[in-house]
Amino acid sequence: MTSLQDLPYAAHLRPWDTELERDGDYAEVHIDGAEFDEAEASSSRFSECAFTSVTFTGGDFGHVRLDDVWISKSRWIGGGWAEADLMDTSILDGVLAGVQAYGSQWRRVIVRDCKIDSLNLRGARLQDVEFRDCDLSEVDFGQATLAGVTFPGSSIRRARFTKATIKKLDLRGARTLDVAEGWESLRGAIIDSNQLMESAAALAHTLGITVKDR
């Protein structure tokens, strides 16, 4: 979806301008232009909801469930998404910085035009996830399972894939591919010929190959 009005549930959205709560059950709510500091929404469920121009600083979204949620022009700074469950969710034109999303599950998620810095996805499960035209810096995919994950038009810098499980990872189309750790875990991933040439030195080092010119 390219705009809020395109959502199939747009006509049913109602504004929400109060604090969030633990174990909350939110359906068809629209949170717009709000700023939350240390919000406590762990174990809550958001279904057919929209977040627009919202800023979250810190807070706890552990074990939260996002089901058919649309997030646009929003900032998530720090805070915890540990073991969160995201399904059929779009995160557009926003910021994810220092978010602790270890052990989370992402299914059929689109992340587009986002700046993503130090996102902790250790042990997460990502299935059919697209990072499109994003700037990813120091994202940790260590011990994560990646199935059907793509990065078209995105820049990947200092990514970590240590002990990741790769079922279907297509890195073709990424503008930059810089892997800080875990090349040995990328068996089965797909890269293009230019990425291969740019990564040749790192791959040789991982394999213990010494490259010397006479």
Side-chain angles (χ1 to χ4, degrees), residues 43-160:
S43 300
S44 293
R45 177 173 178 174
F46 295 85
S47 178
E48 295 188 339
C49 294
F51 295 81
T52 54
S53 302
V54 178
T55 298
F56 288 95
T57 304
D60 185 4
F61 283 79
H63 297 92
V64 75
R65 176 167 181 149
L66 305 181
D67 188 356
D68 202 355
V69 173
W70 197 78
I71 303 170
S72 175
K73 299 184 185 299
S74 295
R75 296 165 55 86
W76 304 72
I77 311 299
W81 286 16
E83 299 185 25
D85 188 350
L86 289 70
M87 184 170 65
D88 296 321
T89 291
S90 298
I91 305 173
L92 314 174
D93 195 19
V95 174
L96 295 172
V99 174
Q100 299 299 308
Y102 52 86
S104 56
Q105 184 165 240
W106 302 46
R107 293 171 290 170
R108 299 190 299 274
V109 174
I110 296 173
V111 186
R112 190 176 72 220
D113 295 317
C114 288
K115 181 175 177 56
I116 304 171
D117 188 8
S118 302
L119 174 62
N120 183 355
L121 287 169
R122 291 187 66 82
R125 298 180 63 85
L126 285 72
Q127 181 175 349
D128 299 326
V129 177
E130 178 183 85
F131 295 92
R132 177 175 289 274
D133 299 326
C134 293
D135 186 350
L136 299 97
S137 178
E138 299 198 36
V139 177
D140 191 349
F141 295 100
Q143 298 179 327
T145 299
L146 293 90
V149 180
T150 60
F151 296 85
S154 291
S155 295
I156 303 170
R157 299 183 180 89
R158 304 292 296 168
R160 293 173 173 80

